[in-house]
Amino acid sequence: MDRVALRGLKARGHHGVFPKERAEGQTFIVDLSLGLDTRPAAADDDLAKTVHYGIVAQEVVAVVEGEPVDLIETLAERIAQTCLKHAGVQEVEVCVHKPDAPITVPFDDVTVTITRSRV
């Protein structure tokens, strides 16, 4: 399976279990790897036969900026389902980064990574 990847999509969301996270929001970063067959698009040089990653990026940002959820696991699932709505996408790996998570010790990042497919 071929891959189309988007890395470092940034959006501000109000996700988290703590009131401060919901009130103030924070930046979330999303990495995607979309699994699809790109041969038809390449053969005909036709955007309509592949996934339009610009549209996917806009949709993912809308999910992050949208309805708040408690868990980034839930956010990752919503993003995955949004990506799978595109006809050619057979599989998606979603990694949601929460670099400003409310942790009391030094850390670089918190991530949740999921893989979902049509099967």
Side-chain angles (χ1 to χ4, degrees):
M1 190 169 301
D2 303 323
R3 298 275 170 199
V4 172
L6 291 95
R7 303 278 183 237
L9 294 172
K10 293 180 184 173
R12 190 158 187 86
H14 294 265
H15 312 288
V17 296
F18 297 114
K20 183 177 179 180
E21 293 178 290
R22 291 294 183 102
E24 296 178 11
Q26 60 192 292
T27 298
F28 292 84
I29 302 166
V30 179
D31 299 325
L32 301 173
S33 179
L34 308 170
L36 64 152
D37 184 357
T38 63
R39 288 175 293 191
D44 295 337
D45 199 26
D46 186 353
L47 177 61
K49 294 183 178 179
T50 188
V51 63
H52 191 309
Y53 51 79
I55 291 173
V56 172
Q58 291 173 346
E59 292 172 351
V60 168
V61 166
V63 171
V64 174
E65 292 176 344
E67 180 184 350
V69 295
D70 288 343
L71 304 176
I72 57 174
E73 292 86 343
T74 306
L75 182 59
E77 184 67 33
R78 288 183 177 179
I79 291 168
Q81 294 309 314
T82 296
C83 294
L84 289 171
K85 288 180 182 175
H86 292 267
V89 177
Q90 298 300 308
E91 179 180 272
V92 62
E93 180 180 274
V94 177
C95 180
V96 176
H97 300 256
K98 189 175 179 180
D100 298 320
I103 296 175
T104 59
V105 297
F107 74 102
D108 288 330
D109 199 5
V110 172
T111 67
V112 168
T113 302
I114 65 170
T115 302
R116 298 293 182 265
S117 65
R118 293 185 180 278
V119 189

